[in-house]
């Protein structure tokens, strides 16, 4: 590569080199000794379906000063009443970017000390190498608001408003690729300053406790099923918990297949309404013999922060995942002995989740009229994989209960 004068970037989180060149280089390296595989690293496309975001004022009647419906549904206020809001825990997010100046996010941003900003070790842009956090798509700002959002003036959108956060931009206009996703995971394992070398300047002292991942890398973005697995497993080995949205490809069974939601090393999250009922788009298992998702949380029309200082609603498992990220922050703040013990944390969340058994079995109920094409229509709540009890391949362990989980973490009776 040096001899060809082709720009490239090596990684250590995955045994991989990103080559910034033309496709003619693929054949040059595909059969070279020592090269296991050559995969494409696509640039940018538009999402086929954009998540709608409807702006509302932060003083919207019935919201400001009150517990939002999604937070009330998971009993977040019960945890706050015990004095647990996530203090001492650092959450990272990788997404379309983040409006760090949003009043619900700025006080909790690790790069802000109340007087001045320092984005070194707190922000990395895997696409354009910009020195200051920004969001070109709204998605990242919205998801982080569900984790930590609180403007200190009566508007609280976050499960763990006492936690700190920092971030990485792994998508451009809602699109990523294997190189960008791996770059952000590498940054989280050992953050480095702007313009720094991850091999020599990375510092694990700045690593987060938890990473929110409201994204997936389908094959159209260049990811094969196992492409990101080494990176994800490296974070878990380091005691950094990855919470991942299960995907929006439901209601069919076996649809939670998009990496990294399909990995055993992550805690994947399905989406429900505020009553704990699964929503149709939420992806379901089984996947490669695994029960997926691992748990479920609100993801149907959730209110959170959007760039520019406002608030908006969005739906998707992208919104469900941050509820669980916030819950982990609450638990690790309440019980420091749990920090880094991902197995025990997952088990606690599952024990305290509200069971959601599935009674129905997936059976064909109708056919499209002849002359068009034949298609089976399925019951929207199916016993995927034949599992009807809890956990199952629709709800996972059930619908999270932050209050019950924190009480158990504190050693209090439920």
């Amino acid at each position: 590569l040096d001899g060809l004068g082709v720009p490239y970037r090596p990684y250590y989180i995955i045994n991989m080199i990103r080559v910034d060149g033309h496709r003619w280089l693929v054949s040059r390296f595909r059969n070279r000794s020592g090269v296991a595989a050559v995969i494409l690293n696509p640039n940018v496309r538009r999402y086929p379906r954009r998540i709608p975001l409807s702006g509302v004022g932060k003083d919207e009647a019935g919201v400001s000063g009150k517990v939002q419906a999604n937070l009330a549904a998971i009993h977040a206020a019960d945890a706050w009443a015990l004095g647990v809001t996530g203090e001492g825990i650092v959450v990272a997010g990788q997404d379309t970017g983040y409006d760090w100046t949003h009043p619900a996010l700025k006080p909790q941003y690790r790069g802000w000390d109340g007087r001045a900003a320092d984005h070194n070790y707190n922000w990395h842009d895997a696409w354009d190498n910009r020195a200051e956090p920004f969001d070109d798509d709204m998605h990242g700002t919205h998801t982080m608001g569900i984790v930590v959002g609180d403007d200190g003036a009566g508007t609280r959108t976050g499960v763990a408003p006492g936690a700190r956060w920092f971030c990485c931009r792994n998508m451009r206009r809602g699109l990523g690729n294997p190189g960008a996703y791996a770059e952000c995971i590498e940054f989280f394992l050992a953050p480095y300053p702007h313009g720094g070398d991850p091999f020599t300047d990375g510092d694990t002292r700045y690593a987060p406790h938890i990473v929110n991942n409201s994204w997936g890398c389908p094959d159209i973005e260049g990811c094969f099923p196992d492409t990101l697995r080494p990176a994800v497993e490296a974070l878990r080995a380091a005691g950094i918990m990855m919470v991942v949205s299960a995907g929006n490809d439901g209601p069919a069974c076996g649809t939670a297949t998009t990496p990294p939601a399909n990995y055993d090393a992550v805690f994947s999250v399905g989406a429900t309404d505020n009553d704990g009922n699964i929503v149709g788009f939420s992806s379901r298992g089984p996947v490669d013999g695994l029960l997926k998702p691992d748990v479920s949380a609100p993801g149907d029309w959730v209110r959170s922060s959007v760039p520019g200082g406002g608030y908006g609603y969005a739906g998707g498992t992208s919104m469900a995942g941050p509820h669980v990220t916030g819950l982990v922050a609450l638990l690790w703040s309440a019980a420091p002995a749990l920090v880094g013990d991902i197995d025990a944390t997952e088990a606690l969340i599952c024990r305290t989740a509200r069971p959601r058994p599935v009674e129905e079995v997936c059976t064909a109920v109708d056919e499209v009229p002849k002359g068009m094409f034949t298609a089976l229509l399925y019951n929207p709540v199916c016993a995927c994989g034949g599992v009807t009890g809890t956990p199952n391949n629709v709800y996972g362990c059930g619908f999270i209960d932050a209050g019950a989980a924190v009480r158990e973490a504190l050693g209090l009776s439920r």
Side-chain angles (χ1 to χ4, degrees):
L1 289 168
D2 287 335
L4 290 170
V6 176
Y8 63 92
R9 184 205 191 276
Y11 298 81
Y12 63 78
I13 198 78
I14 298 175
N15 190 13
M16 177 174 77
I17 300 173
R18 186 193 75 214
V19 179
D20 301 327
H22 295 286
R23 289 196 179 195
W24 66 267
L25 287 167
V26 170
S27 59
R28 187 181 188 102
F29 290 99
R30 177 168 284 148
N31 298 317
R32 189 179 182 90
S33 176
V35 175
V38 178
I39 64 175
L40 294 179
N41 195 49
N43 275 312
V44 177
R45 65 175 172 85
R46 293 283 187 178
Y47 268 149
R49 294 172 294 173
R50 290 188 56 80
I51 296 174
L53 286 166
S54 300
V56 297
K58 72 175 182 178
D59 293 324
E60 180 191 31
V63 174
S64 183
K66 297 185 179 181
V67 178
Q68 290 190 174
N70 58 304
L71 301 178
I74 65 169
H75 300 159
D78 292 351
W80 305 334
L82 295 169
V84 179
T85 60
E87 292 87 347
I89 300 302
V90 177
V91 174
Q94 52 177 327
D95 213 292
T96 60
Y98 301 84
D99 177 6
W100 77 273
T101 64
H102 193 289
L105 299 179
K106 186 175 181 178
Q108 294 80 257
Y109 176 52
R110 193 176 67 177
W112 174 251
D113 65 4
R115 299 182 305 276
D118 184 356
H119 303 302
N120 288 314
Y121 302 99
N122 295 313
W123 158 256
H124 179 69
D125 183 355
W127 283 94
D128 299 309
N129 198 32
R130 287 172 59 167
E132 180 173 327
F134 73 102
D135 188 351
D136 68 359
D137 194 77
M138 297 188 179
H139 192 268
T141 302
H142 195 272
T143 58
M144 188 56 71
I146 300 170
V147 183
V148 302
D150 191 343
D151 69 354
T155 301
R156 177 174 288 184
T157 62
V159 178
R164 304 281 276 173
W165 68 279
F166 72 105
C167 53
C168 186
R169 179 175 177 242
N170 65 3
M171 289 181 274
R172 178 189 282 161
R173 296 197 300 275
L175 221 348
N177 57 36
Y181 292 132
E183 189 167 327
C184 283
I185 296 173
E186 192 169 86
F187 175 70
F188 291 150
L189 183 65
Y192 45 91
H194 179 68
D197 184 341
F199 282 84
T200 58
D201 300 324
D203 192 335
T204 58
R205 293 176 300 174
Y206 294 98
H209 295 100
I210 314 148
V211 179
N212 186 73
N213 305 271
S214 292
W215 55 275
C217 184
D219 54 4
I220 197 171
E221 291 185 3
C223 281
F224 289 95
D226 292 326
T227 301
L228 298 175
R229 189 184 299 273
V232 168
E233 292 179 347
L235 280 198
R236 188 178 182 106
I240 301 170
M241 187 164 176
M242 286 192 72
V243 177
V244 178
S245 297
N248 303 327
D249 297 316
C253 299
T255 48
T257 57
T258 302
N262 60 322
Y263 298 154
D264 193 29
V266 308
F267 204 51
S268 60
V269 186
T272 68
D273 61 19
N274 290 333
D275 293 322
N277 301 309
I278 203 72
V279 291
F281 57 73
S282 186
S283 294
R284 308 167 194 206
V287 178
D288 299 329
L290 297 175
L291 188 149
K292 290 287 182 177
D294 293 293
V295 75
S296 53
D300 183 27
W301 214 235
V302 177
R303 180 177 186 263
S304 187
S305 48
V306 294
Y311 296 83
Y313 290 85
T317 58
S318 286
M319 286 70 234
H323 286 82
V324 178
T325 300
L327 173 54
V328 177
L330 293 178
L331 293 175
W332 286 7
S333 178
L338 281 175
V339 174
D341 192 341
I342 300 172
D343 289 341
T345 302
E346 292 174 342
L348 192 161
I349 292 173
C350 283
R351 281 197 307 273
T352 56
R354 282 166 267 174
R356 301 292 297 184
V358 179
E359 302 296 338
E360 294 84 0
V361 177
C362 268
T363 54
V365 296
D366 201 356
E367 289 188 356
V368 175
K370 292 180 180 180
M372 297 170 64
F373 57 89
T374 299
L376 299 179
L377 305 179
Y378 294 102
N379 188 309
V381 182
C382 310
C384 294
V387 181
T388 58
T390 302
N392 56 60
N393 285 297
V394 178
Y395 292 95
C397 297
F399 185 65
I400 63 168
D401 189 325
V406 169
R407 287 185 68 84
E408 181 169 320
L410 290 171
L412 303 175
S413 62
R414 294 174 59 187

